[in-house]
Amino acid sequence: MEAFTVENVPLIKAGDDIASIICQNADVMDNDIIIIASTIVSKAEGRMFRLEEIEASEEAARIAQKQQADPLFVQAVLDRSRDILLESPIFLVETNNGHVCIKAGIDASNVDRGFLVDLPADPDASAENIGQRIEDITGRKISVIITDTNGRAFKIGQTGVAVGLYRIHPIKDWKGEKDLFGNILQITEESIADEIAGTANLLMGEGGSGYPIVIIRGMELRSDDKASVKEMYRNSSQDIIRKGLCSLRHA
Amino acid sequence: MEAFTVENVPLIKAGDDIASIICQNADVMDNDIIIIASTIVSKAEGRMFRLEEIEASEEAARIAQKQQADPLFVQAVLDRSRDILLESPIFLVETNNGHVCIKAGIDASNVDRGFLVDLPADPDASAENIGQRIEDITGRKISVIITDTNGRAFKIGQTGVAVGLYRIHPIKDWKGEKDLFGNILQITEESIADEIAGTANLLMGEGGSGYPIVIIRGMELRSDDKASVKEMYRNSSQDIIRKGLCSLRHA
């Protein structure tokens, strides 16, 4: 397996064609997995916004006071969320798309000062648009993963995670396979999409270095059928950690 | 960056010299990151055990009844844990080394039937032993990461994670760095050790295929000073998810 950054990616602005930029700057091959930072996807889709455009509700004002945050920012998060898991000390929500993350993934990094950018509204659709256009241009069969970075339970630090994808299933199921000694495996579900997102994040860099597109080559993981990032979102009623956080909120 | 499996690794048994096996089967280079599945490290250290060797305490019997599990297995987990985060529906503990995982990482996969294997008692020390020996044999400066697979909050599936390491810090700190527009970055800590463990896990395979050793080349991440996996374990008093689980336990 090899992983490399796509060079010469310009600063992305609204209306830019990310698929064409990739095809101009990389020699795409069959089975390539093309990993794209969500920030540039959102920028190309024109999803930058200013807090001044927002009006805060009473709920936003209440949460903002608890967090000592800007009510307009809180409202921006609420507008993009269908559930709140925690209001404080971290503002953890489930986005309208089903992704659990801090502040609905709204980011002020790598955006013009004064602007914010959020996650694509339907990241699978964004991945599909880019992926199909790359396939049309190149005639190659590829996969796309759109990524963000998230924190995690019990450990410091963020890792790259998949938030949208095209033609790659997020989970590889080892069910029924046997180990080296012929025993049925206990662990059966590997989150390959998040492992790939983490691999790409090692090369992307958070800082000014900015390599928002990475290609991974040498893995045969492309699916012929439709895939969705939602395949790895746990049903909230089965989620014990969520239950724990919920009990804190209502304590 | 490239990642590849070390071929011809035999079934590891107690007393085997993993460092020598790596040096015989791979051409190690400066700055290589050598990722090793914890199972084979534990096996080489002779950490296989049978439940029949254990005596169950009253606490183990109580928890086992709740879980409908074997009291001897529960006792094996308790013996390796310094805190229980949840007894059921998942048996989530903090190991004596500070790693939070299900069942203290005890595994029945890829072990002779009837035997179990646990995580190395001090995985940083295990990584250091292997790493220093590889450096002695080859004269190269390398890093080692020992891995396991863990589940995570809110999402289905397991990913590779670091449980012990040598000469690579688990967290890369972007603090003070500026983004493409000159703003100070909000996200400052990247868990490179877990991202590397995930990358390796993509190639290892859980099943009978069995590639327990992966080399990642082309990243300059080696540290000259001593590093520990404990640098990424969150202080439990600051851990809101842990607090939520604790409130469930005592509800």
Side-chain angles (χ1 to χ4, degrees), chain A residues 40-83:
Chain A
I40 69 164
V41 176
S42 291
K43 283 164 127 184
E45 292 178 358
R47 300 188 62 81
M48 294 78 79
F49 63 98
R50 286 178 177 278
L51 291 183
E52 290 74 11
E53 300 158 9
I54 297 169
E55 259 185 86
S57 63
E58 276 180 41
E59 191 189 10
R62 180 187 61 75
I63 296 173
Q65 192 167 25
K66 199 165 162 184
Q67 297 175 352
Q68 302 188 283
D70 183 338
L72 300 177
F73 182 83
V74 172
Q75 186 64 51
V77 174
L78 293 180
D79 289 344
R80 288 154 182 82
S81 304
R82 65 182 185 199
D83 195 14

Side-chain angles (χ1 to χ4, degrees), chain B residues 63-128:
Chain B
I63 297 172
Q65 193 166 25
K66 201 165 160 184
Q67 298 176 349
Q68 301 188 282
D70 184 339
L72 300 177
F73 182 83
V74 171
Q75 186 64 50
V77 174
L78 293 179
D79 290 343
R80 288 152 182 85
S81 305
R82 65 185 185 197
D83 195 13
I84 303 174
L85 280 73
L86 264 183
E87 293 173 357
S88 134
I90 53 172
F91 194 10
L92 187 68
V93 300
E94 178 179 306
T95 68
N96 293 329
N97 197 56
H99 183 62
V100 175
C101 62
I102 304 290
K103 298 175 188 171
I106 297 175
D107 195 1
S109 299
N110 297 316
V111 191
D112 272 318
R113 216 174 287 241
F115 281 88
L116 297 169
V117 66
D118 56 9
L119 294 174
D122 181 348
D124 283 336
S126 301
E128 184 175 20

Side-chain angles (χ1 to χ4, degrees), chain A residues 14-27:
Chain A
D16 279 351
D17 178 350
I18 290 176
S20 292
I21 291 169
I22 291 168
C23 297
Q24 280 157 21
N25 292 292
D27 209 2

Side-chain angles (χ1 to χ4, degrees), chain B residues 205-219:
Chain B
E206 290 277 352
S209 45
Y211 293 99
I213 305 170
V214 168
I215 296 180
I216 291 183
R217 183 166 293 166
M219 304 287 291

Side-chain angles (χ1 to χ4, degrees), chain B residues 17-20 22-23 28 32 34 36 123-146 165-167 222:
Chain B
D17 178 351
I18 290 176
S20 293
I22 292 169
C23 296
V28 175
D32 278 357
I34 301 174
I36 310 171
D124 283 336
S126 301
E128 184 175 20
N129 285 340
I130 295 171
Q132 283 183 344
R133 188 155 158 71
I134 293 172
E135 292 186 336
D136 286 347
I137 295 172
T138 63
R140 305 292 187 175
K141 298 283 188 194
I142 54 104
S143 306
V144 171
I145 297 181
I146 296 176
L165 42 81
Y166 169 68
R167 299 279 179 190
R222 189 176 184 278

Side-chain angles (χ1 to χ4, degrees), chain A residues 1-4 11 43 85-86 88-90 92 99-100 103 106-113 148-162 171 174 177-210 216 219 221 231-235 239-245 247-248, chain B residues 1-4 11 43 85-86 88-90 92 99-100 103 106-113 148-162 171 174 177-210 216 219 221 231-235 239-245 247-248:
Chain A
M1 180 186 101
E2 56 173 335
F4 53 91
L11 280 181
K43 283 164 127 184
L85 280 72
L86 262 184
S88 133
I90 54 172
L92 187 68
H99 183 60
V100 174
K103 298 175 187 170
I106 297 175
D107 194 3
S109 300
N110 298 315
V111 192
D112 272 319
R113 216 174 288 243
D148 196 8
T149 56
N150 282 180
R152 58 269 178 76
F154 316 125
K155 289 195 280 191
I156 294 164
Q158 304 235 345
T159 59
V161 296
I171 300 289
W174 298 88
E177 297 211 28
K178 290 186 177 169
D179 70 11
L180 293 167
F181 293 85
N183 307 307
I184 297 288
L185 282 166
Q186 296 180 308
I187 291 167
T188 58
E189 290 176 321
E190 178 183 353
S191 175
I192 57 170
D194 280 345
E195 290 180 334
I196 290 167
T199 304
N201 200 46
L202 285 167
L203 298 179
M204 284 183 175
E206 291 277 353
S209 47
I216 291 183
M219 304 286 291
L221 295 170
E231 294 164 31
M232 73 169 162
Y233 294 151
R234 188 173 281 151
N235 186 315
D239 193 328
I240 185 72
I241 288 185
R242 194 162 176 148
K243 204 172 152 192
L245 294 177
S247 84
L248 281 185
Chain B
M1 180 187 100
E2 55 173 334
F4 52 91
L11 280 182
K43 282 164 129 183
L85 280 73
L86 264 183
S88 134
I90 53 172
L92 187 68
H99 183 62
V100 175
K103 298 175 188 171
I106 297 175
D107 195 1
S109 299
N110 297 316
V111 191
D112 272 318
R113 216 174 287 241
D148 197 8
T149 55
N150 281 180
R152 60 268 176 76
F154 316 124
K155 289 195 280 192
I156 294 163
Q158 305 236 345
T159 59
V161 296
I171 300 290
W174 298 89
E177 297 209 30
K178 290 184 176 171
D179 70 12
L180 293 167
F181 294 85
N183 307 306
I184 298 287
L185 282 166
Q186 297 180 308
I187 291 168
T188 58
E189 290 176 320
E190 179 183 352
S191 177
I192 57 170
D194 280 346
E195 290 180 333
I196 291 167
T199 305
N201 200 45
L202 285 167
L203 298 178
M204 284 181 175
E206 290 277 352
S209 45
I216 291 183
M219 304 287 291
L221 295 170
E231 294 164 32
M232 73 169 163
Y233 294 150
R234 187 172 282 152
N235 185 315
D239 193 328
I240 186 70
I241 288 185
R242 195 162 176 146
K243 204 172 152 192
L245 294 178
S247 84
L248 282 184

